[in-house]
Amino acid sequence: MQYRKLLIPVFSVCLAACTAELQEVTPALPDGAGLVSEKICNTSSDAKEGMLIVEFNDKAVAALESSAQDMARSASPLTRSGISAVDVALGEIGVVSLERVYPYAGKNEERTRAAGLHRWYLLKFAPEKNLDEAAAQLAQVPEVLRIQFNARVYRSYTGQSVPFSGASHGMTKGVVTSDFNDPQLFWQWHYINNADQAVGTETVAGADINVAEAWKLTGGDPRVIVAIVDGGVKYNHPDLAANMLINEAELSGQPGVDDDGNGYVDDIYGYNFAVDTGEISYDSTDDGGHGTHVAGTVAAVNNNGIGVCGVAGGTGNNDGVRLLSCQIFAQGATADDVMTGRAIKYAADRGASVLQCSYGYNAGTVRNDTHFNEYSPMTKAGIDYFLASDNTCGVVDGGIAVYAAGNEGEPISAYPGAYGPCISVTAFAPDYLPAYYTNFGPGCNIAAPGGELSGFTGAERAGVLSTLCSETNNGEDYGYMQGTSMACPHVSGVIALGLSYALKLGKHYTWDEFMSMVLTSVNEFDSRFVGEKQGSGTVMDLRNYVGQMGTGAIDAYQLLMQIEGTPCLRVSTGDFNLIALTDYFGGDAADLTYLGVEISDEDARKLGMEFDPEMHNGRLRIKCTLPGVARIKVHAIAGGDNLSSGIQMGGIEITKEFAVVSRDTGAANGGWL
């Protein structure tokens, strides 16, 4: 499958600059080491001590696998390969264990080997050993192809959380949608934003993901699995348990046994790669519930009479998408390349359709895709393995990876999110402006609500409300966070809804087709970026964000309309919009005779229409005073000015149905017609 970055700003760099960047990531070697440095991928500056990631050639791999079988019989760790040159280097470094980065995969082993993942090994030795010296020694061994330092990766949120207090909020302030009975849905402005002043006087109606109407079409499908590559998910949370993916073979099997033969023991709700014990953890005060919060945004159970909603959490009929916990953060520690690579591959092997990743390297560590392939080839190989997986139930040819853009406020996306085939998500606040912390610029693809916990009159209510762990959250199962970490799962959830609706309709798309639909299901909000914004002690020049937040703000309803095949007409709330219909009625649309525009009274009221929509010189004239969505039908005559009848020759009536999406934006065409 060919991958390419779709519909994003181009990051232009000259060849000389790229070459300089790549040269900078090669560490200095001892005298006489010569050209062996070309094998060393990245630097040791932010890497885990006492370990190296090494790719061996086929000869060495065969020897290692043979030695591993011998060691397994004696229950001893593998420390040597049986090849003299390799073992001399391993001995000099003091290697105490060798293990495959991507473990034996049982029923998925054949595919693992076909992807070359079996060649990557993790070498462990004394933490006081100098990493650069160890890498230099290994690089001189012919059987070693590449060496990667085990770089750290970081959560993409600001480290803040605020418990939700029913006493201070009240159980609910009013009915947001008659379809769901979740009492705290009102406070999830990021789903349905009616500019309620309790969230903040700065709040803008329509600054959300426009999901209410989408829920009327689908709430999710259990066949769609979203892997949460993050901190551990509280799998027994009252608002998450019903939507967890459960490995029934392990649940009913024997403890300590790999009952389903996938290479992992007791992986009932997922696997803990942070400590490599299998059992998911979530109750450490250092964890902060980050993975649980992200999971709730994707698929907290909807319409169950408690708590909050998830974007793809179903309709209360056990129809939400399923969540798989792939834990890479535990007890406040940073994650690393080995953990993330293993977690991503595990997600692919467990059938995940969507990879939800609110983590990354610090922005600027990796500057482009070529550099990413040089800097972290083992990690990239794991992502490519996921992207090539056929886990979308026949909807799309390949997996979909969604990443947070990062929270450093830098004018560049962090990696791996900026990697070509991944989706990198920026964040906006309830004011429909960029969040003060969000990265932006090259590599960023699309925007979603990330919230802000300070600076708004509603205080924490301007953050993103989702599930949390009562064990670490003052006894509360819900709370607010902010970050591109919180924006990212909105996009993952919308994609999961799209896959669910495509399953319902029996649709199939190429990977490029589906990605194009996702990245064009947006509302324009660049026209709002005028002047300055005060953000957590900083002053933001909003002009710097124009054209830099991705294609626009994600819109769940528009994605479902694209999947359905119903064209979306984007209109600016409060303005008269004149929309050319040439793309829908043909090149002579202006010359057609139109019979009228049909809209229900309910939809007209919902959009605050003071005037009926009408055709004017071949263009649809429409004004909506409220944000929302509705369906309209435009009737015209094909062939002549009159319809054919028994007494006159005439044309045939043709009808086109459209979905009108009204949002507070500046461009009458939304930027995508």
Side-chain angles (χ1 to χ4, degrees):
M1 174 167 51
Q2 292 288 325
Y3 296 115
R4 62 178 181 274
K5 203 69 165 180
L6 300 171
L7 303 168
I8 62 171
V10 177
F11 182 31
S12 299
V13 292
C14 67
L15 180 60
C18 287
T19 303
E21 286 172 358
L22 295 180
Q23 288 174 343
E24 289 172 3
V25 303
T26 304
L29 299 177
D31 292 340
L35 298 177
V36 295
S37 63
E38 293 180 356
K39 295 182 179 181
I40 300 175
C41 300
N42 51 354
T43 73
S44 60
S45 61
D46 195 22
K48 291 288 184 72
E49 297 81 10
M51 60 186 70
L52 287 171
I53 303 165
V54 176
E55 183 185 21
F56 289 102
N57 66 13
D58 290 337
K59 175 186 175 183
V61 168
L64 284 164
E65 290 176 344
S66 176
S67 297
Q69 292 177 353
D70 294 338
M71 292 298 100
R73 284 190 285 269
S74 62
S76 300
L78 178 65
T79 60
R80 300 294 182 267
S81 69
I83 298 177
S84 177
V86 176
D87 291 343
V88 167
L90 297 179
E92 290 176 348
I93 295 169
V95 170
V96 296
S97 72
L98 294 96
E99 60 185 57
R100 274 177 41 170
V101 171
Y102 299 104
Y104 176 77
K107 59 187 177 183
N108 297 300
E109 179 65 11
E110 182 178 352
R111 182 169 169 240
T112 301
R113 300 180 78 85
L117 300 185
H118 66 297
R119 294 198 294 263
W120 289 99
Y121 276 74
L122 177 64
L123 282 57
K124 295 182 179 179
F125 42 85
E128 57 269 19
K129 175 70 176 179
N130 183 282
L131 284 176
D132 291 316
E133 291 179 359
Q137 288 174 289
L138 283 170
Q140 297 180 69
V141 177
E143 287 80 6
V144 170
L145 300 179
R146 286 182 288 187
I147 301 166
Q148 179 177 324
F149 295 102
N150 193 15
R152 291 177 171 86
V153 297
Y154 299 89
R155 295 176 176 94
S156 296
Y157 88 123
T158 60
Q160 300 169 271
S161 63
V162 181
F164 178 91
S165 171
S168 63
H169 287 69
M171 288 304 294
T172 182
K173 275 183 62 69
V175 176
V176 179
T177 171
S178 60
D179 297 301
F180 293 160
N181 60 11
D182 308 80
Q184 310 311 341
L185 173 59
F186 173 86
W187 298 105
Q188 294 182 286
W189 60 266
H190 31 102
Y191 297 165
I192 305 167
N193 192 338
N194 294 319
D196 190 273
Q197 300 298 286
V199 174
T201 56
E202 308 87 350
T203 305
V204 173
D208 54 34
I209 63 169
N210 196 20
V211 74
E213 293 295 322
W215 280 335
K216 295 179 180 179
L217 302 174
T218 182
D221 189 305
R223 291 173 288 179
V224 176
I225 301 167
V226 180
I228 309 298
V229 184
D230 207 298
V233 176
K234 184 176 178 179
Y235 50 82
N236 55 3
H237 190 289
D239 229 358
L240 294 174
N243 281 345
M244 294 299 299
L245 179 68
I246 299 176
N247 189 338
E248 297 291 348
E250 296 288 350
L251 181 65
S252 59
Q254 297 180 354
V257 176
D258 180 13
D259 298 287
D260 64 343
N262 70 344
Y264 290 91
V265 175
D266 297 337
D267 55 326
I268 299 173
Y269 304 100
Y271 196 83
N272 187 342
F273 296 90
V275 294
D276 200 23
T277 61
E279 184 177 358
I280 300 299
S281 65
Y282 55 81
D283 55 1
S284 167
T285 55
D286 293 326
D287 286 339
H290 189 267
T292 299
H293 196 275
V294 165
T297 298
V298 174
V301 181
N302 294 338
N303 205 28
N304 61 350
I306 62 171
V308 298
C309 286
V311 178
T315 62
N317 298 301
N318 198 31
D319 54 350
V321 303
R322 293 300 183 251
L323 298 165
L324 175 66
S325 184
C326 301
Q327 185 172 358
I328 60 171
F329 294 106
Q331 300 176 350
T334 56
D336 57 49
D337 283 335
V338 170
M339 296 176 194
T340 58
R342 287 174 171 172
I344 290 168
K345 182 183 181 297
Y346 173 81
D349 290 344
R350 285 294 308 276
S353 305
V354 182
L355 201 64
Q356 159 55 40
C357 303
S358 289
Y359 73 86
Y361 303 118
N362 289 324
T365 301
V366 179
R367 305 292 298 187
N368 52 56
D369 285 0
T370 299
H371 187 192
F372 184 44
N373 188 48
E374 295 286 339
Y375 183 88
S376 189
M378 181 278 296
T379 311
K380 177 181 175 295
I383 295 173
D384 288 343
Y385 181 89
F386 178 88
L387 293 168
S389 63
D390 186 17
N391 292 337
T392 58
C393 309
V395 174
V396 182
D397 300 328
I400 301 168
V402 187
Y403 278 82
N407 291 348
E408 298 97 327
E410 294 290 336
I412 185 174
S413 171
Y415 269 79
Y419 174 40
C422 297
I423 297 176
S424 177
V425 184
T426 59
F428 61 82
D431 56 5
Y432 221 8
L433 296 174
Y436 71 87
Y437 50 78
T438 188
N439 289 348
F440 58 99
C444 298
N445 302 119
I446 200 165
E452 289 188 20
L453 292 177
S454 61
F456 283 76
T457 56
E460 75 271 8
R461 296 171 185 175
V464 170
L465 178 62
S466 185
T467 48
L468 276 173
C469 306
S470 57
E471 294 84 352
T472 63
N473 192 47
N474 292 338
E476 298 287 348
D477 274 323
Y478 305 92
Y480 295 94
M481 286 185 171
Q482 67 175 15
T484 54
S485 271
M486 284 60 251
C488 183
H490 284 86
V491 175
S492 295
V494 169
I495 290 170
L497 273 186
L499 294 173
S500 300
Y501 197 45
L503 278 171
K504 181 178 180 179
L505 300 181
K507 297 294 186 73
H508 172 268
Y509 304 96
T510 66
W511 186 87
D512 281 352
E513 287 171 340
F514 191 81
M515 288 285 281
S516 294
M517 288 194 298
V518 170
L519 296 178
T520 56
S521 295
V522 295
N523 293 303
E524 182 273 338
F525 68 141
D526 275 6
S527 57
R528 298 184 51 79
F529 303 169
V530 178
E532 295 179 340
K533 173 182 173 177
Q534 301 288 331
S536 190
T538 63
V539 178
M540 304 163 60
D541 185 344
L542 293 173
R543 293 173 299 179
N544 294 334
Y545 295 84
V546 174
Q548 302 300 307
M549 291 287 285
T551 55
I554 186 75
D555 188 303
Y557 183 73
Q558 288 188 43
L559 178 58
L560 268 54
M561 288 299 95
Q562 289 209 57
I563 289 169
E564 186 179 285
T566 300
C568 284
L569 304 179
R570 301 165 178 85
V571 302
S572 178
T573 305
D575 298 328
F576 274 107
N577 296 261
L578 284 172
I579 304 173
L581 300 182
T582 303
D583 289 344
Y584 313 109
F585 282 98
D588 295 327
D591 299 325
L592 291 178
T593 297
Y594 290 91
L595 299 174
V597 181
E598 179 183 344
I599 186 171
S600 70
D601 291 340
E602 178 184 356
D603 279 355
R605 286 194 300 271
K606 185 167 57 177
L607 295 183
M609 289 186 178
E610 300 170 352
F611 307 94
D612 291 334
E614 61 181 1
M615 294 303 299
H616 181 74
N617 292 331
R619 295 190 291 177
L620 176 66
R621 186 172 184 265
I622 186 170
K623 181 179 181 181
C624 306
T625 61
L626 297 174
V629 302
R631 295 203 186 214
I632 66 170
K633 293 181 180 179
V634 177
H635 303 273
I637 298 175
D641 298 329
N642 301 289
L643 292 174
S644 179
S645 69
I647 59 174
Q648 68 175 355
M649 185 183 301
I652 300 172
E653 181 175 348
I654 55 176
T655 301
K656 293 281 188 179
E657 184 175 37
F658 303 93
V660 174
V661 179
S662 173
R663 280 293 183 271
D664 185 14
T665 61
N669 66 0
W672 284 105
L673 285 179

